[in-house]
Amino acid sequence: QVQLVESGGGSVQAGGSLRLSCTASVNFNCMGWFRQAPGKEREGVALISRNGGYTSYIASVKGRFTISRDIAKNTVYLQMNSLKPEDTAVYYCAADNGACYANKKNFNTWGQGTQVTVSS
């Protein structure tokens, strides 16, 4: 059974940093991070292609978040800097062997989610 296991969530003050990790049981072509805040729809945050040559971010995190991956470890990372209270959400890792493109939502494999809380 293909699995995605996330780690790295937690609580931090505004302006702080966290790094999320997601390790997959197999390598996927496209991997990404989504988040869902209470009362809001889930939104895509960032995604990355297999070799890291393509990345995409939502406007609200550009310049603050960086997505990267280690193919040898089947792991994707989300480095989150200058965190804001509005970044508070459950963050989900997603993976798919389809093409990687901006605003992609049709991932077929999802992690269980990890909570990120940013206090002001």
Side-chain angles (χ1 to χ4, degrees), residues 1-9 19-28 30-33 48 67-78 91-96 109-114:
Q1 182 178 356
V2 177
Q3 288 185 316
L4 301 177
V5 179
E6 300 130 331
S7 62
R19 188 176 81 154
L20 306 182
S21 300
C22 171
T23 299
S25 53
V26 297
N27 254 316
F28 291 90
C30 187
M31 297 188 74
W33 289 95
I48 186 168
I67 190 169
S68 62
R69 67 190 291 181
D70 185 333
I71 291 295
K73 296 181 179 179
N74 291 355
T75 300
V76 64
Y77 304 97
L78 186 68
Y91 283 70
Y92 297 90
C93 179
D96 188 84
T109 304
W110 293 83
Q112 79 285 358
T114 185

Side-chain angles (χ1 to χ4, degrees), residues 8-113:
S11 296
V12 66
Q13 288 191 325
S17 298
L18 286 172
R19 188 176 81 154
L20 306 182
S21 300
C22 171
T23 299
S25 53
V26 297
N27 254 316
F28 291 90
N29 184 56
C30 187
M31 297 188 74
W33 289 95
F34 286 71
R35 66 186 181 186
Q36 187 166 20
K40 295 187 177 181
E41 291 188 358
R42 187 164 58 187
E43 65 175 352
V45 176
L47 53 83
I48 186 168
S49 62
R50 182 182 179 90
N51 62 3
Y54 177 82
T55 58
S56 179
Y57 300 88
I58 54 170
S60 60
V61 307
K62 282 182 179 179
R64 300 188 299 122
F65 290 11
T66 303
I67 190 169
S68 62
R69 67 190 291 181
D70 185 333
I71 291 295
K73 296 181 179 179
N74 291 355
T75 300
V76 64
Y77 304 97
L78 186 68
Q79 177 66 44
M80 306 185 293
N81 299 328
S82 302
L83 282 160
K84 304 175 180 180
E86 51 263 44
D87 295 318
T88 295
V90 177
Y91 283 70
Y92 297 90
C93 179
D96 188 84
N97 276 322
C100 229
Y101 53 88
N103 300 317
K104 177 182 175 75
K105 291 181 173 62
N106 59 336
F107 288 86
N108 58 20
T109 304
W110 293 83
Q112 79 285 358

